[in-house]
Amino acid sequence: MQGRNVIRAILFVLFFSIGAGSLSVSVLCDDLVQHYRNAELLRAAEESLDRLKSLDADYGVVIKRLQVDPNDPNSVKHLAGVTLGPEHHEPNTVYPRATAKLLEAIEGALADESSLPASGQSESALPRWLSRCSEPRRKIALFLCGVVLILTSLVCFGPRKDVE
């Protein structure tokens, strides 16, 4: 008799916990999706902030060099070469200059390429199971299955009245 009660208790805990988990996921699905999207936005903002901090440090070094000796021709010449591109003085030679549109297109292509994972598909922070669960039809099915499992565990495996 004691063995049956242990099995009933195990089945009750199993059915109830699966039902409660299913019910919780269906109710909290929208909040979980919002959490993962906010985490992705936070990660992108932190990357942007890191890039801006790096640029700020680079420009700070350049400004300090110019402030130390503003008349130094080497620092001004180097800064002009880096900013405007090198000047070429060889006759009868054509040196192509990159336009702003061309540089933006190249930068965009490199940024897109670097953001893709190795497989070539865009990786989302949202797990696949959560994207499937967030569909309205599946969310309702999860809710109903959770309710059925909880009711089944309470009715079939709940405390048993002993008939004397």
Side-chain angles (χ1 to χ4, degrees):
M1 195 65 160
Q2 189 66 15
R4 286 186 183 174
N5 288 337
V6 171
I7 291 173
R8 288 172 61 86
I10 291 173
L11 287 175
F12 174 80
V13 168
L14 183 69
F15 275 48
F16 189 85
S17 61
I18 291 173
S22 174
L23 198 63
S24 299
V25 167
S26 69
V27 170
L28 297 175
C29 187
D30 294 332
D31 293 332
L32 288 172
V33 169
Q34 189 65 31
H35 167 74
Y36 279 104
R37 287 188 181 147
N38 287 342
E40 181 68 24
L41 289 174
L42 178 64
R43 187 190 59 78
E46 286 175 347
E47 287 177 1
S48 177
L49 183 64
D50 290 341
R51 277 197 315 268
L52 289 174
K53 284 181 180 179
S54 173
L55 285 173
D56 184 42
D58 292 344
Y59 286 130
V61 169
V62 170
I63 289 172
K64 281 184 183 179
R65 282 187 185 169
L66 288 175
Q67 286 176 346
V68 169
D69 190 12
N71 295 328
D72 183 21
N74 290 332
S75 63
V76 173
K77 190 177 191 181
H78 176 70
L79 183 61
V82 169
T83 305
L84 303 174
E87 283 191 33
H88 303 285
H89 299 291
E90 295 184 26
N92 300 327
T93 305
V94 176
Y95 294 100
R97 296 195 56 105
T99 63
K101 285 185 179 180
L102 179 62
L103 290 176
E104 285 179 20
I106 291 171
E107 185 178 312
L110 290 175
D112 290 343
E113 185 177 302
S114 67
S115 67
L116 290 178
S119 64
Q121 297 175 352
S122 63
E123 182 179 341
S124 175
L126 189 66
R128 286 182 44 194
W129 66 268
L130 188 57
S131 64
R132 287 192 309 262
C133 290
S134 64
E135 296 173 8
R137 182 176 51 95
R138 292 186 181 189
K139 195 185 311 184
I140 292 171
L142 272 174
F143 184 83
L144 293 177
C145 289
V147 168
V148 168
L149 282 171
I150 289 174
L151 289 177
T152 302
S153 65
L154 290 174
V155 170
C156 297
F157 304 112
R160 186 173 172 189
K161 295 180 184 177
D162 290 331
V163 177
E164 293 180 21

